[in-house]
Amino acid sequence: MKKSVISLFVCSALAAPAAFSSPISNPEIGVVLDGYYQSGERQLSEREEGFGLGHTEINMSANIDDKFRGSLTTVLESHGDHADLLIEEAFIETTSLPHGLNIKGGRFLSSFGSLNNQHLHEDAFAERPVAYRNYLGGHFYDDGVSASVVLPTDLYIRLGVEALSGQQMSAIDDPSTVGIYSATATFGGDISTASSWQLGFSYLRNDNGRVDSFGDHDHDHDHDHPHRFGHDHDHSHSASVTGKHLYGMDFVWKWAPNGNYKYQNLTVSAEWLRLNDATSRDYKFEHDYPGTLDAFYLSGVYRLSPSWSVGARYSEAEDFDVKMYGHYPYFKRETEREFDLMLAWNSSHFGTIRGQYTRAENQRHDREDNIFTLQYVMSFGAHGAHAF
Amino acid sequence: MLSKWLKPATHNQQSRFAPKTLALLAIFAASYALPSHALNVFVCEPEWGALVRAHAPHANIYAATTSRQDPHYVQARPSLISQMRRADLAVCSGAELEIGWLPMLQARSNNAKVQDGQSGMFYASEYVAMLDTHDHVDRSMGDIHAHGNPHVQFAVKDMPRISTALTARLVDIDPDNARQYQANGIRFRGHWHRQITQWEEVAEPLQGLNVVGYHGTYRYLFDWLGIAQVGDLEPKPGLSPTNAHIHSLAQLGADAVDLIVYSSHQDSRPASWLQQRIDKPVLELPLTVEGDQSLTEMIDIVIGDLLKQTGKQTHLPVQ
């Protein structure tokens, strides 16, 4: 008797949420599968030559209660015979603060730039532009807190600040615990029914980003420049070159006939990044002192039909190499360039097969590479909405 | 809040301009004390804008999409986030129709009022007897929704239930204007019930009509009027029409199909391809309201167009 009462209670408790649940289901669990074959390897890339698995993503997110939302994104990466489980995002955020405020805590993709806080599977190309791979480690996520506000104006204005650990973008052995502070301002609106724009300004201060001395801390690695982390083969997610100040400016423009994105649409995006104080000012009299380094990309993607899209992208990133002659550093400023062409076929909204050709110019190794990639990115389960 | 602003102002200007200032402040205070501001309503599709306007004529209504846009494929663009930020109420079809963009707007808007489960988020499909619900959903079946067909703007019979629920929601959000919302709701439903009788009478010749459609956009309308959708230009929901599929539709034969129908936001070519093979009339129907049209006008147009194109009746009785 008692048992049946309990089971009745349990049943009704389980049935009740279904009856009142909103039409958008909760929690959402989604998996992104990413595999490829490529004929070469791009600089600072996570993808090796030959067959491989890319960014296998498992995402879970749900409202925790009426005040908080939580999201977890793990990434499985396989390198040879072992696999790494990375936590890319694990954060909670508020959903009920007044005045358009939002506070987020945990690990999350930084809001720096326009591409960075989007997941890799949303990209139109197989790799992040070389500008991002050099200065942000492809996609920069970190532990910390962020606060943002969306102003109650017709023009979209979002202001955000972040305080992050900065461990991934540290150039020194004993970094401070809160290494990175960032601020972003994003604006946007519609030009007409058919087209929309977004313009963003970002600033990131990296207290551990500047290299103060060379030669002394050649601790374990076999590379000759201690400020570098993501050298060619360790598939690190850290930035290749860091500095004290990183500035960013980004612009996105999208167009579709009558604003109907289903059949045809065009996305043009560009970002410019500037890195200041990559090394200590003690070296500013040295040859080619890397005081300011610039990087940018410009990309255009056109959807020809619901099934086909084509795209082109050009990206450049300035970097520097340092060689020690006794106590004297010799800097060599270098520029990496990449030009990509992409053709993608969508089996549906959830499956993409992409072919990409990259012409890469690497000054350091004085090489020009032609790389072909054939890749699939497909998802099942819940598929989160994409950002602009 | 108000007293904070009043005190320094009255104090500073006390000496000479006190009466004038006080008068101005009184006007300011009065306008502040009035229902603070017109309700800001964000609608995912224009039909819900028409519904809200019938209930809350003074509301500021912002429609995220137009009749030329496929509501499945909308960009979560900055302008929509800023409109969502200011919304007191968001009205959408729900049943996962907007799943590709609405959750992003809710999250990015930082607006507590329009989150799921709050009174400021209204899904029309929650008040509709849903058709084509599925216990088991697999994407190999195409882009289908477990909760059923989400194109509920044509769920004519359920519109009064949506109106009742919307009225209650408006009253909840803006109790100062409760009477107005209730009166408008009653008026809307009374008018709608009379319309249903009239529509059913006028549309009687459409019963038994066999239609090839494009997506399940008119599922509720066809179900109500006794029209059969015998084929779909899409091989599966959300997938683009293919030549092979059009060919298979042509196999249905000319006798099995009376009419080919597509919607204002869709590519017209697949309908013409089929027309070339089976020589049946093609009709573009509106997806939703245009401009300031009411929901009544939208249904009038759809029924009128169907009657005209099928030659069942050449004129509609004057409304």
Side-chain angles (χ1 to χ4, degrees):
Chain A
M1 179 64 200
K2 205 173 179 184
K3 210 171 175 184
S4 69
V5 169
I6 289 169
S7 68
L8 189 70
F9 175 76
V10 169
C11 282
S12 59
L14 286 172
F20 296 105
S21 75
S22 86
I24 291 172
S25 57
N26 182 28
E28 294 171 10
I29 300 170
V31 174
V32 179
L33 297 172
D34 173 345
Y36 63 87
Y37 172 82
Q38 60 187 22
S39 68
E41 188 174 330
R42 295 172 185 86
Q43 269 291 103
L44 303 168
S45 164
E46 293 164 24
R47 293 173 199 274
E48 296 160 42
E49 188 177 334
F51 285 107
L53 292 178
H55 219 68
T56 307
E57 217 177 274
I58 304 164
N59 176 270
M60 282 175 255
S61 68
N63 286 329
I64 288 161
D65 51 30
D66 60 336
K67 298 172 193 67
F68 291 96
R69 193 178 81 89
S71 178
L72 171 68
T73 304
T74 57
V75 174
L76 280 161
E77 277 187 0
S78 103
H79 301 299
D81 58 353
H82 71 282
D84 295 331
L85 178 71
L86 306 171
I87 296 176
E88 189 173 275
E89 288 197 298
F91 65 81
I92 54 147
E93 65 176 335
T94 59
T95 58
S96 64
L97 290 184
H99 310 302
L101 278 164
N102 171 279
I103 310 268
K104 197 190 259 192
R107 178 174 297 180
F108 48 88
L109 290 161
S110 166
S111 292
F112 189 97
S114 68
L115 206 52
N116 192 65
N117 66 1
Q118 304 193 16
H119 289 281
L120 291 175
H121 74 262
E122 301 176 34
D123 288 9
F125 296 89
E127 291 281 352
R128 283 276 149 101
V130 72
Y132 259 60
R133 301 200 315 263
N134 265 274
Y135 292 9
L136 292 163
H139 55 309
F140 170 49
Y141 55 85
D142 204 346
D143 301 346
V145 289
S146 90
S148 71
V149 62
V150 179
L151 300 184
T153 47
D154 264 343
L155 178 75
Y156 171 65
I157 305 173
R158 180 191 179 275
L159 306 170
V161 289
E162 294 170 340
L164 304 162
S165 83
Q167 304 299 319
Q168 295 206 44
M169 291 220 279
S170 173
I172 55 180
D173 285 340
D174 188 19
S176 52
T177 43
V178 182
I180 287 179
Y181 295 91
S182 84
T184 54
T186 315
F187 307 89
D190 291 340
I191 297 164
S192 64
T193 329
S195 77
S196 312
W197 60 276
Q198 181 177 285
L199 176 66
F201 300 92
S202 308
Y203 167 66
L204 185 150
R205 196 188 79 183
N206 184 351
D207 285 343
N208 310 320
R210 191 179 68 188
V211 182
D212 288 322
S213 62
F214 294 94
D216 293 342
H217 20 184
D218 244 340
H219 32 273
D220 44 354
H221 305 298
D222 57 352
H223 53 118
D224 55 354
H225 18 63
H227 71 287
R228 288 172 190 289
F229 301 89
H231 65 116
D232 292 5
H233 300 288
D234 74 350
H235 305 283
S236 161
H237 296 269
S238 312
S240 153
V241 55
T242 57
K244 173 105 181 168
H245 308 283
L246 182 63
Y247 303 90
M249 198 163 101
D250 57 86
F251 181 72
V252 181
W253 178 75
K254 293 195 182 191
W255 171 87
N258 298 312
N260 189 12
Y261 281 80
K262 180 172 183 182
Y263 299 105
Q264 279 100 33
N265 63 68
L266 175 66
T267 299
V268 175
S269 52
E271 278 190 67
W272 167 74
L273 304 172
R274 166 165 282 185
L275 196 62
N276 261 355
D277 283 358
T279 62
S280 162
R281 283 174 192 278
D282 297 346
Y283 300 109
K284 69 182 169 190
F285 300 111
E286 304 296 335
H287 170 74
D288 237 343
Y289 162 73
T292 303
L293 298 168
D294 286 312
F296 74 91
Y297 74 87
L298 174 65
S299 92
V301 176
Y302 184 62
R303 173 164 298 287
L304 302 156
S305 75
S307 307
W308 292 93
S309 62
V310 292
R313 183 176 71 186
Y314 179 74
S315 182
E316 244 183 59
E318 279 185 328
D319 194 353
F320 69 94
D321 197 8
V322 59
K323 289 225 158 52
M324 295 300 292
Y325 294 98
H327 289 288
Y328 301 99
Y330 175 77
F331 295 106
K332 191 170 158 245
R333 193 178 283 257
E334 299 163 337
T335 307
E336 283 180 45
R337 297 184 177 86
E338 262 184 23
F339 175 69
D340 303 283
L341 281 174
M342 174 284 285
L343 174 69
W345 177 73
N346 296 297
S347 60
S348 68
H349 195 55
F350 310 101
T352 302
I353 293 175
R354 176 183 296 134
Q356 183 172 325
Y357 161 72
T358 302
R359 169 104 179 141
E361 274 181 45
N362 183 323
Q363 265 191 337
R364 178 167 311 153
H365 301 114
D366 196 23
R367 263 170 57 180
E368 292 182 0
D369 288 323
N370 296 302
I371 301 154
F372 292 90
T373 302
L374 189 62
Q375 180 202 17
Y376 66 80
V377 182
M378 301 203 179
S379 68
F380 62 84
H383 190 73
H386 289 183
F388 184 72
Chain B
M1 173 83 183
L2 185 61
S3 59
K4 221 170 165 182
W5 286 98
L6 281 175
K7 273 178 193 160
T10 46
H11 180 76
N12 290 342
Q13 310 205 342
Q14 222 169 11
S15 51
R16 279 177 62 194
F17 298 107
K20 209 174 175 182
T21 313
L22 278 175
L24 276 171
L25 282 168
I27 293 167
F28 173 72
S31 67
Y32 203 89
L34 277 173
S36 51
H37 64 286
L39 219 51
N40 286 323
V41 184
F42 178 102
V43 297
C44 286
E45 295 86 16
E47 60 266 22
W48 307 125
L51 184 71
V52 170
R53 204 170 58 242
H55 292 72
H58 302 298
N60 297 320
I61 299 167
Y62 180 85
T65 57
T66 73
S67 60
R68 298 274 152 198
Q69 296 171 359
D70 191 321
H72 298 88
Y73 297 87
V74 173
Q75 291 288 322
R77 54 187 201 272
S79 61
L80 298 189
I81 300 172
S82 65
Q83 292 297 334
M84 199 67 163
R85 158 70 177 90
R86 299 197 299 172
D88 299 300
L89 171 68
V91 181
C92 299
S93 294
E96 298 186 344
L97 177 67
E98 302 95 351
I99 196 154
W101 50 286
L102 181 59
M104 184 57 75
L105 298 183
Q106 289 173 303
R108 292 281 170 105
S109 69
N110 295 1
N111 181 354
K113 292 178 191 169
V114 296
Q115 303 302 318
D116 281 352
Q118 303 300 313
S119 56
M121 186 67 240
F122 184 91
Y123 292 111
S125 59
E126 287 183 25
Y127 308 98
V128 170
M130 299 295 281
L131 296 175
D132 306 334
T133 56
H134 300 269
D135 290 336
H136 170 77
V137 176
D138 188 303
R139 289 222 185 105
S140 64
M141 299 149 82
D143 190 14
I144 61 161
H145 309 275
H147 304 285
N149 184 309
H151 304 286
V152 294
Q153 71 267 39
F154 295 111
V156 173
K157 291 277 227 183
D158 291 310
M159 206 54 84
R161 284 183 62 200
I162 302 175
S163 159
T164 307
L166 180 66
T167 304
R169 208 60 82 83
L170 285 164
V171 168
D172 189 27
I173 290 166
D174 182 18
D176 291 343
N177 291 310
R179 278 195 187 163
Q180 190 199 343
Y181 301 138
Q182 280 153 349
N184 288 336
I186 290 166
R187 194 175 308 130
F188 175 85
R189 292 188 290 277
H191 174 73
W192 196 263
H193 282 299
R194 284 192 298 280
Q195 284 295 327
I196 290 181
T197 318
Q198 207 176 25
W199 283 326
E200 286 178 345
E201 203 175 300
V202 174
E204 228 210 303
L206 296 174
Q207 272 193 28
L209 195 72
N210 292 323
V211 167
V212 169
Y214 188 162
H215 198 72
T217 312
Y218 303 99
R219 179 73 177 93
Y220 292 92
L221 185 95
F222 291 170
D223 181 67
W224 169 52
L225 297 177
I227 297 172
Q229 182 161 324
V230 295
D232 195 320
L233 293 167
E234 289 182 334
K236 278 174 184 168
L239 296 186
S240 296
T242 58
N243 265 326
H245 181 67
I246 303 273
H247 182 73
S248 75
L249 287 176
Q251 304 302 312
L252 286 169
D255 297 339
V257 181
D258 299 310
L259 185 66
I260 307 160
V261 163
Y262 70 101
S263 192
S264 54
H265 66 294
Q266 288 165 328
D267 186 2
S268 62
R269 286 172 303 174
S272 336
W273 296 337
L274 183 60
Q275 187 187 28
Q276 284 163 17
R277 297 184 187 210
I278 62 170
D279 193 31
K280 291 289 168 180
V282 170
L283 176 62
E284 180 193 294
L285 287 177
L287 169 70
T288 176
V289 297
E290 289 272 7
D292 291 336
Q293 276 173 3
S294 67
L295 284 174
T296 309
E297 287 170 303
M298 175 181 86
I299 303 295
D300 276 348
I301 290 168
V302 173
I303 292 179
D305 286 354
L306 280 166
L307 286 168
K308 208 162 123 194
Q309 195 55 255
T310 50
K312 301 281 184 186
Q313 194 171 329
T314 46
H315 63 277
L316 270 175
V318 178
Q319 301 287 321

